[in-house]
Amino acid sequence: MRRRCLIRSFAPALLLAPGGLHAQVYLTREQAKAILLPGPAEACPISLSKKERRSIEAACGVDVPREALEAWRSPAGDWLLFDSVKGRYEAIDLAVAISARGEVQGVEILTYRETYGYEVRQPEWRRQFHGKTVDSKLKPGKDITPLSGATISSQSITRGVRRLVQTWEQVLRHA
Amino acid sequence: MTPMKTIQRCQPLLGTFVEITLCGEAPETKLQQQAGKAFEMIRWVQRMMSFHDADSDISRLNRCGHLAPLQVHPWTYHVIELAAQLSRETEGAFDITVAPRLVRSGLLPRHGAYTSLAEAGRWEDITLHGGRAISYRQPLQIDLGGIAKGFAVDKAIEYLSTLGLHGAIVNAGGDLRVLGQIDSRVAIRDPRDPHRAAVPSIMLRPALATSAAYFVRAASGLKKAAAILHPRTGKPMRSNLSVSVFAKTCIEADALTKAVLLAPQKVWNPVLSAHDSVALLLTAKGEQVLFPA
């Protein structure tokens, strides 16, 4: 009986363990800031009231689950916002630059987590290449194995950007 | 000797995640700038050839290409020219005029009531004129979704090749091309379990593209949905097969995957060799077959 209880309480961990979670980190927040909002800027953390969230949701048709957003603002009134959206299975962190006139200036993916990808980093998996490699000269730093497959849609990002543009429209432009 | 640096960036473009990896001796900020310009090339291709954007060359053609020849950007002209050539070579298995059916199934947007959804048109109805002008013999809806991604990757690589980098990879949601001294290994999603498993391979040519139906079906929630349709029957491609094509350019790789998926083997075999390409088929049973063997 006791054993069964133990199994039950660890079951979620067991389910998660074998797949492994791989997070591909493209840019840190500092790097994203250097690219999307170079120059002086001050941190302007945003806190959305319940009423504001409701009104953003109504205007763009996308849920606003978080009330706090990390944001930076340049003296010229340009914004850099950090947010995350739910991809098919996992969260994707993104940075979006919005100009003082409310136009999207750039979108960068910061991290992309997905259940797939873990095995590619495993030594046993990589060993399958041995003897096959035509010309494996490269790679200073880290191993890079590009991944090919049917196209994954980036619609979740489009919705996330729409939500931030609406957040600018309703909240930030009056800030 | 200056140490080699590698950077990796990712932006949502062409309806998918475009990843650019650069490897070079320049300072990191310089590499970031160069990656930014490569993304810019891809954004230009998107602006010209997107079906979703009502201002693109493609949307202009789809609105009034049947009324008079329209001049398009040389890049758009080049892509449509190659698409027509591949349609001819594959006896119509690759066809960019299947858009009306995709609009009906909700996979592509409809731009107002003025766009015709007549399904009678075929690739033969596209006429290429001198001076980069294109016209339709009857109202048509073309969609470059099966070929423009590869072209965008080629354009980004073309730009990056002028920078003296050590190596680069541009990967537009699975359509990718490598440049220079970069790792020649690649992973291909296993069609039996696309989210978790991958099949290791090596880059047999600089460019690689993969086509399969697994993600569209999952995204739309419809069992029968697939973004790849048979041009003759209009039936969605439903097999669990995944087709990867290695080619010299990504535009060829991208388009040829559809030809291999849809045409009979006796048709696509000579086309593959004419384009100096290699196809790798992954079947639902886990077999890997290489053509030409």
Side-chain angles (χ1 to χ4, degrees):
Chain A
M1 189 60 202
R2 190 150 174 220
R3 188 179 289 167
R4 190 180 287 170
C5 280
L6 269 180
I7 290 174
R8 198 170 294 162
S9 55
F10 281 107
L14 288 174
L15 277 177
L16 286 174
L21 192 68
H22 169 69
Q24 176 71 48
V25 179
Y26 294 105
L27 295 172
T28 62
R29 291 190 173 200
E30 290 69 43
Q31 286 171 322
K33 189 176 161 293
I35 291 167
L36 290 171
L37 195 69
E42 55 168 344
C44 282
I46 300 162
S47 168
L48 299 170
S49 69
K50 201 166 189 178
K51 197 175 145 217
E52 285 167 337
R53 282 159 63 200
R54 287 273 179 288
S55 132
I56 294 167
E57 274 171 16
C60 66
V62 184
D63 280 354
V64 187
R66 300 200 305 175
E67 38 190 276
L69 277 181
E70 191 185 319
W72 292 80
R73 189 187 194 181
S74 78
D78 298 326
W79 287 88
L80 174 63
L81 307 171
F82 294 101
D83 200 359
S84 42
V85 299
K86 196 183 163 296
R88 184 94 56 74
Y89 297 110
E90 307 291 343
I92 301 167
D93 298 328
L94 70 158
V96 177
I98 298 180
S99 76
R101 285 180 299 165
E103 294 156 343
V104 175
Q105 300 293 301
V107 181
E108 294 282 342
I109 309 293
L110 305 184
T111 56
Y112 187 109
R113 300 180 198 93
E114 55 176 350
T115 42
Y116 168 79
Y118 175 75
E119 61 173 21
V120 179
R121 269 83 185 168
Q122 297 303 300
E124 317 85 72
W125 192 85
R126 304 192 74 86
R127 217 167 287 137
Q128 298 181 65
F129 286 113
H130 284 191
K132 285 188 190 172
T133 310
V134 187
D135 168 26
S136 190
K137 283 180 185 166
L138 128 101
K139 53 347 100 98
K142 54 183 171 180
D143 274 341
I144 300 144
T145 307
L147 175 64
S148 184
T151 312
I152 293 188
S153 157
S154 59
Q155 251 181 7
S156 54
I157 305 294
T158 314
R159 285 197 299 272
V161 172
R162 208 160 61 199
R163 178 169 70 199
L164 290 177
V165 168
Q166 204 48 239
T167 307
W168 180 87
E169 181 72 35
Q170 304 213 9
V171 182
L172 304 183
R173 70 182 302 177
H174 314 295
Chain B
M1 192 186 137
T2 22
M4 207 65 76
K5 278 173 228 70
T6 302
I7 62 144
Q8 231 181 351
R9 288 260 293 277
C10 180
Q11 289 189 6
L13 290 169
L14 307 168
T16 187
F17 296 90
V18 178
E19 194 182 76
I20 294 184
T21 310
L22 301 186
C23 176
E25 288 167 22
E28 203 181 301
T29 46
K30 181 87 188 162
L31 289 177
Q32 293 287 11
Q33 234 173 47
Q34 293 170 335
K37 284 204 183 128
F39 279 120
E40 193 56 40
M41 302 296 278
I42 293 174
R43 221 166 295 138
W44 279 341
V45 174
Q46 170 171 295
R47 220 166 293 152
M48 282 170 213
M49 302 181 206
S50 164
F51 189 93
H52 299 252
D53 182 352
D55 293 329
S56 68
D57 275 354
I58 296 307
S59 292
R60 280 195 308 129
L61 273 175
N62 287 344
R63 272 195 300 273
C64 39
H66 59 286
L67 302 174
L70 285 181
Q71 206 171 52
V72 294
H73 190 275
W75 292 5
T76 313
Y77 192 84
H78 171 77
V79 174
I80 295 179
E81 200 176 23
L82 187 75
Q85 185 198 331
L86 284 166
S87 297
R88 204 165 34 244
E89 289 173 357
T90 60
E91 297 172 14
F94 180 80
D95 192 336
I96 53 174
T97 65
V98 296
R101 292 194 194 104
L102 293 172
V103 175
R104 279 190 191 178
S105 66
L107 286 166
L108 284 178
R110 180 160 195 186
H111 298 302
Y114 48 78
T115 48
S116 158
L117 288 188
E119 289 178 9
R122 281 168 48 97
W123 63 273
E124 288 113 318
D125 296 318
I126 304 169
T127 315
L128 295 146
H129 305 270
R132 308 187 331 250
I134 290 175
S135 69
Y136 298 161
R137 286 203 193 91
Q138 57 171 305
L140 280 184
Q141 296 281 298
I142 65 168
D143 165 35
L144 299 183
I147 187 167
K149 233 184 264 91
F151 178 74
V153 170
D154 286 337
K155 278 291 158 196
I157 286 283
E158 218 169 84
Y159 160 72
L160 292 169
S161 70
T162 62
L163 304 177
L165 292 160
H166 185 71
I169 308 172
V170 178
N171 186 350
D175 293 359
L176 61 100
R177 183 162 161 190
V178 298
L179 170 76
Q181 311 250 318
I182 213 125
D183 205 339
S184 56
R185 295 175 291 195
V186 66
I188 300 172
R189 285 185 194 277
D190 189 334
R192 291 170 299 168
D193 191 4
H195 278 291
R196 295 158 60 93
V199 176
S201 177
I202 48 166
M203 289 297 287
L204 299 164
R205 298 284 185 279
L208 162 67
T210 299
S211 280
Y214 42 81
F215 284 138
V216 178
R217 211 156 42 217
S220 64
L222 298 170
K223 269 223 165 93
K224 285 185 181 166
I228 301 165
L229 305 180
H230 198 288
R232 294 272 161 75
T233 62
K235 294 226 170 81
M237 214 273 311
R238 263 188 286 162
S239 78
N240 261 341
L241 188 72
S242 139
V243 172
S244 301
V245 172
F246 296 91
K248 279 190 197 143
T249 61
C250 202
I251 186 171
E252 289 169 295
D254 192 8
L256 287 175
T257 55
K258 282 85 186 178
V260 173
L261 268 175
L262 297 168
Q265 193 187 342
K266 65 174 194 311
V267 172
W268 55 254
N269 240 341
V271 182
L272 278 182
S273 15
H275 290 266
D276 187 23
S277 306
V278 178
L280 174 64
L281 275 58
L282 304 179
T283 69
K285 286 183 195 139
E287 295 154 332
Q288 300 176 28
V289 199
L290 207 59
F291 292 98

